[in-house]
Amino acid sequence: MSTTPLIHVVDDDDSLRTALLRLLGAAGFEVRGYASTGDFLLYPLPDRPGCLLLDVRMPGPSGLELQAALQRQGVALPVIFLTGYADVADSVRAMKAGAVDFLAKPVERAALFDAIQRALACDAVQRTARQEAEQLRARFASLTLRERAVFDRVITGKINKQIAEELGIAERTVKMQRAQFMVKLGVNSVAELGRLAERLRRLSD
Amino acid sequence: MSTTPLIHVVDDDDSLRTALLRLLGAAGFEVRGYASTGDFLLYPLPDRPGCLLLDVRMPGPSGLELQAALQRQGVALPVIFLTGYADVADSVRAMKAGAVDFLAKPVERAALFDAIQRALACDAVQRTARQEAEQLRARFASLTLRERAVFDRVITGKINKQIAEELGIAERTVKMQRAQFMVKLGVNSVAELGRLAERLRRLSD
DNA sequence: GTGACTATTGGACGAAGGGGCACTATTGTT
DNA sequence: AACAATAGTGCCCCTTCGTCCAATAGTCAC
């Protein structure tokens, strides 16, 4: 069920990165180290719980640029920054972009583990939310255009007769399509249908 | 309709505060200046759109402490920090606590107005969300215990007969209470009722 | 006790939803 | 050309819902 979290460490300082990997590994996490932004982006990201410990200043693309790139790609992996240079502008930019924390090197063990815990909690919430959204979208994607048209009108409270007239079809047909998408959506009552519709609407806006 | 936003400026530096007030006033905002955290907290906060420009280091309670106090009181006024001392720890703490931005003095006009614009947008979103939540809660608060019991079962798709048996009352009575809360909640169909129920559930968790 | 008020109930009728059965038209397949 | 497969339809029956008219029982103030 619960896979052990995978923690990615991106830092060009070999000795620090190795120390971090050892520390986190000893704490029971699965870990992967990368010496640069490019190394990290080289292979596709496995779809599993985790977070990213990211150095800010490195040869090549900076940690901030990596964070922005991940955002553009729609990757929601929580990021914890580690930096040796105290730069307020960097920290603010990172936090505005959604970083979980921004820690100064040398980082204290307690602060690091606290940040990781928050990052993993954040990731877990995001993952379940995304998963539920996917399931919901999938269910609605199986509806035909006609069924979807009837659905849209049912959830606004219209009665079959009105729907039939609006769509230029027989009331009997409305009943059929209605019954069909009730099965497809896995609901047994109009009330549940309305709740499902509201959950779908939340995803859109 | 749209009140001009009210911008609060808390800074112990009289000349800077005055300059900020003049600048923002000239830009069309309504402004109020405070020389300390205490001054700001002295009077109740008017309930209107706005944001808070807050210095970090001041004699007495710091800006960060004020931010924390506002959070504890449930005040959601967006905060933009201004600081003369570049301190990464402060900036991270402020941003983690939800600050809109954290700007170094001397602050550029463009950066300031950009931050203010984002803060006001954020405030507007929060205010409408809170207002809708209030209205929703108010509508549900008008339901009697019995009506609420029937409501809970209607939205799970139970039919009147089942509800009547569960609650130990006649089906006829269920119908009546059902009609009553439909009026109270201002909906015309079970589908809308379900959507309303889902919106209410969102507020709880 | 009396009257006002609320909650609850019974019976009945029309409107609406749900679904079974059979027919038709269109489309794609062999 | 013959043959499914599918969507749309008409007819009919049953259940459920919404509502009107009326009646009963409990509570509270005076």
Side-chain angles (χ1 to χ4, degrees):
Chain A
M1 228 96 324
S2 63
T3 323
T4 59
L6 171 59
I7 301 187
H8 305 269
V9 179
V10 179
D11 197 315
D12 63 309
D13 180 339
D14 290 339
S15 63
L16 174 62
R17 191 178 66 247
T18 307
L20 276 174
L21 293 179
R22 195 171 306 142
L23 175 65
L24 297 173
F29 295 114
E30 194 167 334
V31 291
R32 287 192 198 169
Y34 313 83
S36 73
T37 291
D39 282 12
F40 178 79
L41 290 173
L42 207 51
Y43 297 105
L45 201 59
D47 178 29
R48 45 179 291 192
C51 67
L52 170 59
L53 297 190
L54 184 53
D55 189 23
V56 176
R57 304 206 187 179
M58 296 176 288
S62 74
L64 290 168
E65 290 175 275
L66 175 54
Q67 181 190 33
L70 291 177
Q71 238 167 13
R72 277 193 300 274
Q73 292 175 22
V75 177
L77 191 67
V79 177
I80 297 167
F81 279 99
L82 305 178
T83 183
Y85 305 85
D87 187 315
V88 172
D90 280 352
S91 73
V92 172
R93 184 177 152 200
M95 297 302 291
K96 280 205 282 190
V100 172
D101 213 330
F102 192 95
L103 305 172
K105 299 177 189 176
V107 58
E108 297 172 30
R109 283 178 65 121
L112 178 63
F113 282 113
D114 179 63
I116 288 176
Q117 193 173 339
R118 276 182 290 118
L120 293 179
C122 172
D123 186 46
V125 169
Q126 282 177 346
R127 293 177 69 82
T128 60
R130 169 170 293 221
Q131 194 175 330
E132 286 179 15
E134 289 302 326
Q135 289 180 353
L136 203 55
R137 277 190 221 277
R139 283 202 273 179
F140 276 95
S142 69
L143 267 56
T144 67
L145 286 178
R146 221 48 171 162
E147 286 166 356
R148 182 56 198 252
V150 175
F151 170 83
D152 288 338
R153 287 162 176 79
V154 168
I155 62 172
T156 60
K158 290 199 167 69
I159 63 179
N160 290 346
K161 196 187 299 181
Q162 291 175 309
I163 300 173
E165 190 189 4
E166 281 186 27
L167 298 180
I169 57 181
E171 186 180 343
R172 184 67 186 80
T173 308
V174 174
K175 290 183 183 180
M176 291 294 302
Q177 287 162 341
R178 199 170 159 154
Q180 298 215 317
F181 69 65
M182 291 291 279
V183 172
K184 284 185 180 178
L185 297 178
V187 295
N188 297 311
S189 66
V190 185
E192 290 177 72
L193 192 72
R195 303 181 64 172
L196 212 61
E198 187 63 21
R199 284 204 280 158
L200 181 71
R201 207 183 59 78
R202 291 268 170 183
L203 298 181
S204 308
D205 53 36
Chain B
M1 222 95 319
S2 64
T3 323
T4 59
L6 171 58
I7 302 187
H8 305 270
V9 179
V10 180
D11 197 316
D12 62 309
D13 180 339
D14 291 339
S15 64
L16 175 62
R17 192 177 66 246
T18 306
L20 276 175
L21 292 179
R22 195 170 309 142
L23 175 65
L24 297 173
F29 296 112
E30 195 167 332
V31 291
R32 288 193 198 170
Y34 313 83
S36 72
T37 291
D39 281 10
F40 178 78
L41 290 172
L42 208 50
Y43 297 103
L45 202 59
D47 178 29
R48 45 178 292 194
C51 67
L52 170 59
L53 298 190
L54 183 53
D55 188 23
V56 177
R57 303 203 189 179
M58 295 175 287
S62 75
L64 290 168
E65 290 175 274
L66 175 54
Q67 182 189 30
L70 291 177
Q71 237 167 12
R72 278 193 301 274
Q73 293 175 21
V75 177
L77 191 67
V79 177
I80 298 166
F81 280 99
L82 305 178
T83 183
Y85 305 85
D87 186 316
V88 173
D90 281 351
S91 74
V92 172
R93 184 176 151 201
M95 297 302 290
K96 281 205 282 191
V100 172
D101 214 329
F102 191 95
L103 305 172
K105 298 179 190 175
V107 59
E108 296 172 31
R109 283 180 65 123
L112 179 63
F113 281 114
D114 179 63
I116 288 176
Q117 192 173 340
R118 276 181 290 117
L120 294 179
C122 171
D123 187 46
V125 170
Q126 282 177 348
R127 294 178 68 84
T128 59
R130 168 170 293 218
Q131 193 175 330
E132 287 179 14
E134 291 301 328
Q135 289 180 353
L136 203 55
R137 278 190 221 278
R139 282 203 273 180
F140 276 95
S142 68
L143 265 57
T144 66
L145 286 178
R146 220 47 168 164
E147 286 166 355
R148 182 57 197 250
V150 175
F151 169 83
D152 287 339
R153 288 161 176 79
V154 168
I155 61 172
T156 60
K158 290 198 169 68
I159 63 178
N160 291 346
K161 196 187 298 180
Q162 292 175 308
I163 300 173
E165 190 189 5
E166 280 187 28
L167 298 180
I169 56 181
E171 184 182 345
R172 179 67 188 76
T173 309
V174 173
K175 289 185 183 180
M176 193 215 54
Q177 286 163 339
R178 201 171 157 153
Q180 298 224 313
F181 68 65
M182 291 291 278
V183 172
K184 284 186 180 179
L185 297 178
V187 294
N188 296 312
S189 66
V190 185
E192 290 177 73
L193 191 71
R195 303 181 64 171
L196 211 63
E198 187 63 22
R199 285 204 280 159
L200 180 70
R201 207 183 60 78
R202 292 267 171 181
L203 298 181
S204 308
D205 52 37

